[in-house]
Amino acid sequence: MSVFARSFPLTDLAKWDSQHPGNVVRSLFSRWAFSGVMATSEAPLRLGVRDGYVNFYVNGQSVAKLSCGRDGPKLSVHHAYVAGRRRSFPRDDAAFEQNYVPFDAKALADPTTATLINGWIETADSYASAEKRFVDDLASANPGIIDLEMGLPASDTPGSARVSPRMDIVIAQIIDGTSSIAFWEAKCANNPELRSSKEYEIHEDGFSGPKVLNQVRKYLDWMADGSRIQQVTEAYRTTAALLLEFHGLFGVGTNDRLDCISIWKALAEAKDPPIIVQPGVVVGNYWPEGYHEQIASARMRQAAESFARNGHREKLQRNGITVFEANAVGALLPHLQIAQVTA
């Protein structure tokens, strides 16, 4: 069984960082926007801890992947970002055959490489969809968000589909002093995956009904398999501890009283924080700022109105889904308190 975990060789990175002032890694972390804080042009990046590496995101779009080994850190950046090929530019596949450009420890130690970072970020931002921008809006308002784009390993149970379930948001909740871990799938109101004229049913040849419900089912099936819940619990306790360490190493000059820091501490120190298995679905009813495809924002409002009027919200709720509609930037996710809670 593939194991879900979170890790990073932070001791190795800290040693390398101390030996190379002005390095690219420190420059990236100087742009870290903490959960619960609005991203700015000076600090536009969110951090996602993975198993052995971290991802940096701008408006929900991955910018770079950082790992660290015996030879020091390594950064992978998409070739389009390195080339400055914004989304609006004509695509020339022949000129961009390599998917990612690696930067080794020597390149990352060179302060001149750091001058490229803003260009990578600006180019990556041009690829950020409305839905990804919506997720970043939620991260700016909810200090408990500890992961974006959680990808679970595909099940290796015989007969199961080799599909990697995903959830957009992992959030640490503190209710009456107790930490818990909850999950949300984020959709803009105009996403057709929220809608169907049919009720949700599983058939031999697939399913009918809203696609988001089938997405949730695959995630729930994965969580029900063996020791998965314990794996997720340990992974996100580790995530919280690593976020604290990253802050200690790279967060000099930032506010130590940020709400996210106390939430990380509480989760890292929790012995057996419960997992709220049933995820919620958060629906964005507004047009996220900065999205470049100039489709009239009125269309999003119309989609939001039809979502409720035509019974799509109720259809999700009948299938046990908590639905929360966010009508503007700054929406606070409600605490999930579904009965299906497992320690």
Side-chain angles (χ1 to χ4, degrees), residues 181-253:
I181 302 166
F183 309 89
W184 289 87
E185 182 63 18
K187 305 287 187 189
C188 285
N190 63 345
N191 191 324
E193 295 179 356
L194 291 168
R195 295 167 164 76
S196 176
S197 59
K198 300 178 181 179
E199 292 292 333
Y200 180 65
E201 291 183 339
I202 302 172
H203 312 295
E204 290 184 2
D205 56 347
F207 72 96
S208 59
K211 188 174 181 179
V212 67
L213 290 177
N214 205 54
Q215 181 181 353
V216 168
R217 179 187 65 83
K218 291 176 181 178
Y219 152 84
L220 291 174
D221 288 347
W222 189 95
M223 293 289 275
D225 188 4
S227 60
R228 298 299 199 190
I229 288 176
Q230 189 61 36
Q231 291 177 20
V232 173
T233 301
E234 289 306 311
Y236 283 115
R237 287 185 66 244
T238 300
T239 295
L242 284 169
L243 289 171
L244 287 169
E245 292 184 62
F246 278 122
H247 177 264
L249 180 60
F250 296 111
V252 177

Side-chain angles (χ1 to χ4, degrees), residues 139-209:
S140 72
N142 293 271
I145 290 180
I146 55 173
D147 201 4
L148 307 174
E149 293 191 343
M150 176 189 73
L152 301 170
S155 176
D156 46 19
T157 302
S160 62
R162 295 291 297 172
V163 176
S164 299
R166 291 181 177 272
M167 278 287 128
D168 289 320
I169 291 169
V170 183
I171 187 167
Q173 304 180 152
I174 298 181
I175 305 174
D176 297 329
T178 299
S179 294
S180 60
I181 302 166
F183 309 89
W184 289 87
E185 182 63 18
K187 305 287 187 189
C188 285
N190 63 345
N191 191 324
E193 295 179 356
L194 291 168
R195 295 167 164 76
S196 176
S197 59
K198 300 178 181 179
E199 292 292 333
Y200 180 65
E201 291 183 339
I202 302 172
H203 312 295
E204 290 184 2
D205 56 347
F207 72 96
S208 59

Side-chain angles (χ1 to χ4, degrees), residues 11 119 203 255:
T11 301
H203 312 295
N255 188 350

Side-chain angles (χ1 to χ4, degrees), residues 14-15 25 35 45 59-60 66 74 81 90 102 113 117 131 146-147 154 158 194 231 266 268 301 306 331:
K15 180 179 179 180
V25 174
S35 292
L45 299 179
N59 280 319
L66 174 69
K74 176 182 175 181
Y81 309 160
T113 308
I117 293 176
E131 211 153 77
I146 55 173
D147 201 4
L194 291 168
Q231 291 177 20
R301 292 195 298 271
S306 70

